[in-house]
Amino acid sequence: RAAFLPTLSGVRSDRDKFVIFLDVKHFSPEDLTVKVQEDFVEIHGKHNERQDDHGYISREFHRRYRLPSNVDQSALSCSLSADGMLTFSGPKVQSGLDAGHSERAIPVSREEKPSSAPSS
């Protein structure tokens, strides 16, 4: 009925850094695509049908976030913690510097330790 959405998610933007965190514990790194296009980051997750406690399930989500104009797009990073928290982040540049904007994929690196994302 309702589309699957990651439960814990959030965006943090402060003076020095822009961070998106997303609970994607049902997805492996191969199931996730993170792409930057112009001023947006798109995060897409999809896994094929698999068995769970209640039968068979397949999940898919698509999220799109606007990047602040002063994020340094050449220094974006994305990682997946051992407990399934995806963290996408980029440093902010001081005004006056040109942050290059173009479309490209951001690889998802796997971390062995659980994330330290703030829980609400």
Side-chain angles (χ1 to χ4, degrees):
R1 198 171 57 82
F4 167 77
L5 285 176
T7 47
L8 175 67
S9 66
V11 175
R12 210 170 40 229
S13 186
D14 58 32
R15 208 168 56 79
D16 304 317
K17 199 172 181 186
F18 175 76
V19 183
I20 297 167
F21 49 93
L22 210 51
D23 179 359
V24 294
K25 64 176 168 284
H26 297 293
F27 299 87
S28 62
E30 306 79 62
D31 297 333
L32 298 165
T33 310
V34 180
K35 192 165 69 172
V36 172
Q37 197 166 8
E38 297 296 323
D39 292 332
F40 289 91
V41 57
E42 294 187 24
I43 302 174
H44 179 241
K46 180 177 185 172
H47 74 68
N48 294 329
E49 197 171 81
R50 60 173 77 134
Q51 196 159 8
D52 71 2
D53 300 339
H54 311 288
Y56 290 88
I57 187 166
S58 63
R59 294 182 183 87
E60 181 171 9
F61 74 91
H62 204 118
R63 286 201 169 214
R64 197 161 175 254
Y65 302 87
R66 181 182 284 281
L67 290 169
S69 59
N70 60 343
V71 165
D72 180 0
Q73 292 197 15
S74 65
L76 296 172
S77 67
C78 193
S79 63
L80 183 63
S81 68
D83 61 345
M85 185 62 66
L86 184 78
T87 305
F88 174 93
S89 64
K92 290 184 178 176
V93 292
Q94 302 314 312
S95 59
L97 294 176
D98 180 39
H101 294 200
S102 61
E103 178 180 350
R104 68 191 179 290
I106 308 294
V108 177
S109 65
R110 186 189 278 282
E111 295 175 0
E112 295 312 313
K113 59 183 183 11
S115 71
S116 55
S119 54
S120 42

